[in-house]
Amino acid sequence: MSISVLVVLYNSAVNDVSVLQTALHSQQVSDIVVCDNSDRKNDNAEQAACHNITYISMNGNKGLSKAYNAGVVRCRGDIVCVFDDDTQVDGDYFNAVSELTESSQKWDIALPIVMTGDKVLSPSHFEKYRTIPVDPSHVGDMADLTGINSGMAVRRSLYDRISYDSNLFLDLIDHQFILDARKVGANIVVLKGSRLHQSYSLENDSLKMQESD
């Protein structure tokens, strides 16, 4: 199985995004796609070309959902690993994704454990309309398991059935994507063997979920 890496940028430089540097040095990664939501002039197209990275300018900040959807179209791998530009990743992540694809476990979306400082940010589960982080010491494949976009590994075939809700600009697109995936029978599991680190606070991701139909 081949792995594509999809990263959305917002006013950051290709050369400064650590996950891109990790992906470029990973033997498991077959191609990298960058969607640039920046609203400032930059030379990211030139930087991407130097690294043989597929570059897509969104011509301003069109929101995460539209950027992800545009990037998925250009991904060639069997697995698409989605990242924000501020996630810290090491090589163990791509090893873990490869091991999962080679296992007999049935899955369509794999959620890694993502930390912010010493707190768990993702995965999480729903309590009423709020997401609560799951204790990684006993995390399991919960019926209401959800998580943030960054670090999510998705089978490319799932994107043939669903896409990110383009009506959502930023907030809740990750949780809505997982809800839509469950509606088409997708299996959501926890990616074991790697931990990612995110720079923003846990409190900022405690978002109220609207009641789904």
Side-chain angles (χ1 to χ4, degrees), residues 50-71:
C50 290
H51 300 293
N52 199 29
I53 293 173
T54 299
Y55 177 82
I56 303 170
S57 174
M58 298 301 294
N59 297 309
N61 189 3
K62 300 301 191 296
L64 272 178
S65 57
K66 290 183 179 179
Y68 282 144
N69 286 335

Side-chain angles (χ1 to χ4, degrees), residues 165-205:
D165 188 342
S166 59
N167 293 313
L168 300 175
F169 187 83
L170 175 64
D171 292 344
L172 303 178
I173 70 168
D174 36 20
H175 304 303
Q176 187 61 56
F177 180 76
I178 290 178
L179 288 173
D180 291 341
R182 290 193 189 282
K183 289 178 182 178
V184 299
N187 293 289
I188 294 89
V189 303
V190 174
L191 179 66
K192 299 175 181 178
S194 176
R195 291 195 179 191
L196 281 58
H197 296 272
Q198 194 79 4
S199 63
Y200 57 79
S201 68
L202 179 65
E203 289 74 19
N204 287 342
D205 197 59

Side-chain angles (χ1 to χ4, degrees), residues 129-155:
Y129 309 126
R130 186 174 292 273
T131 59
I132 306 298
V134 176
D135 184 343
S137 66
H138 59 264
V139 67
D141 301 334
M142 307 170 69
D144 62 348
L145 190 69
T146 188
I148 66 171
N149 283 306
S150 200
M152 186 184 295
V154 184
R155 287 194 183 274

